[in-house]
Amino acid sequence: MNQSRPIQAACVLAALFTVVCTSEAAQEQAEEPAAEEAVANILLTPAALVETAPPVFHTHFETSKGDFTIEVHREWSPNGADRFYNLVSAGFYDDVRFFRVMSGFMAQFGINGDPEVAAVWRQHRIQDDPVIQSNTRGFISYAMAGPNTRTTQVFINFGDNSRLDSDGFSPLGRVVEGMEVVDQLHAGYGDVQPRGKGPNTGDFHRRGNAYLEESFPDLDYVVKATVSVPEQ
């Protein structure tokens, strides 16, 4: 009896197993960049992100400081809620910095860290919504520079900022879990330049997160944001 044949067969099987495992690993590695590229591509096509939001939905933010959850009511700010729902669902806020945190006032975020993505959305504005809720503690609204200029930047109110209501800042939701995390976001840089020591927004738009990491390394940031719809 030739005892070498079982040994040879085992070697062949082992070699085949190695090839299969290697191929699977290579496929997984190839799929990861493909998935990242798909996310980047969808963020470069704002016209494709126009799904109508559910009447009520939650956005869960995992951040460098901890987690918090925002409950959004579409009836409070329909255009704002739809935009926010699509942005969070597409991963827009992942790895986004809280670049303007002012103690006692608000925490602002929403400029994408990829300059190409930020440039596209900077021009993609939505129409204003009537102000139904008030800018009090925990409520979130879009930043804006006049009528019908809302894009992607939002802010969470630390206290009673109801004076903003008459200026058209329309809250779309409120923090329902983790407001203590929002309170702890790094506020050491204060307002943006030239009013404070924070980032220069022009440089931020041009250079993205690389600029913030180099010049404002203590800023907190969103690790990942996700959407869920509560059971009715």
Side-chain angles (χ1 to χ4, degrees):
M1 181 176 178
N2 189 347
Q3 296 181 351
S4 65
R5 290 182 178 178
I7 296 174
Q8 291 173 349
C11 291
V12 170
L13 288 174
L16 287 173
F17 181 75
T18 301
V19 170
V20 170
C21 291
T22 303
S23 299
E24 290 177 350
Q27 183 178 356
E28 290 176 359
Q29 291 175 357
E31 287 173 352
E32 289 178 3
E36 293 175 359
E37 184 177 350
V39 169
N41 287 341
I42 193 66
L43 290 177
L44 291 173
T45 56
L49 296 173
V50 292
E51 185 176 347
T52 299
V56 179
F57 63 93
H58 288 165
T59 56
H60 181 75
F61 285 82
E62 178 187 349
T63 81
S64 54
K65 195 69 77 178
D67 297 358
F68 65 87
T69 300
I70 296 171
E71 183 176 89
V72 178
H73 291 252
R74 189 174 186 273
E75 65 178 351
W76 294 354
S77 185
N79 293 324
D82 288 349
R83 169 59 60 85
F84 197 61
Y85 177 78
N86 283 278
L87 289 173
V88 175
S89 298
F92 179 91
Y93 292 109
D94 296 354
D95 200 29
V96 161
R97 269 51 175 175
F98 296 92
F99 70 93
R100 187 183 182 213
V101 182
M102 302 172 67
S103 299
F105 182 29
M106 58 83 191
Q108 186 170 332
F109 64 105
I111 297 177
N112 193 272
D114 181 335
E116 186 178 7
V117 173
V120 170
W121 286 93
R122 194 176 187 181
Q123 306 302 322
H124 204 72
R125 301 173 175 178
I126 56 174
Q127 295 293 300
D128 290 338
D129 289 307
V131 178
I132 296 176
Q133 295 297 320
S134 184
N135 285 277
T136 53
R137 178 170 168 78
F139 278 82
I140 182 171
S141 298
Y142 279 88
M144 60 183 187
N148 304 315
T149 58
R150 296 181 299 172
T151 56
T152 62
Q153 297 182 50
V154 292
F155 64 91
I156 300 172
N157 293 284
F158 283 134
D160 184 356
N161 297 324
S162 54
R163 66 186 183 279
L164 299 176
D165 299 351
S166 61
D167 293 327
F169 292 93
S170 175
L172 62 144
R174 63 187 179 91
V175 177
V176 292
E177 293 181 9
M179 189 61 197
E180 69 280 1
V181 173
V182 180
D183 288 335
Q184 296 172 27
L185 295 172
H186 182 77
Y189 301 118
D191 204 352
V192 295
Q193 298 176 25
R195 295 181 299 274
K197 299 183 296 183
N200 178 296
T201 55
D203 289 339
F204 184 10
H205 274 100
R206 283 190 295 272
R207 297 182 53 202
N209 279 348
Y211 163 67
L212 299 184
E213 291 167 359
E214 176 184 313
S215 302
F216 303 93
D218 294 330
L219 289 175
D220 284 303
Y221 57 92
V222 178
V223 175
K224 188 173 183 60
T226 54
V227 168
S228 64
V229 179
E231 296 182 3
Q232 302 298 320

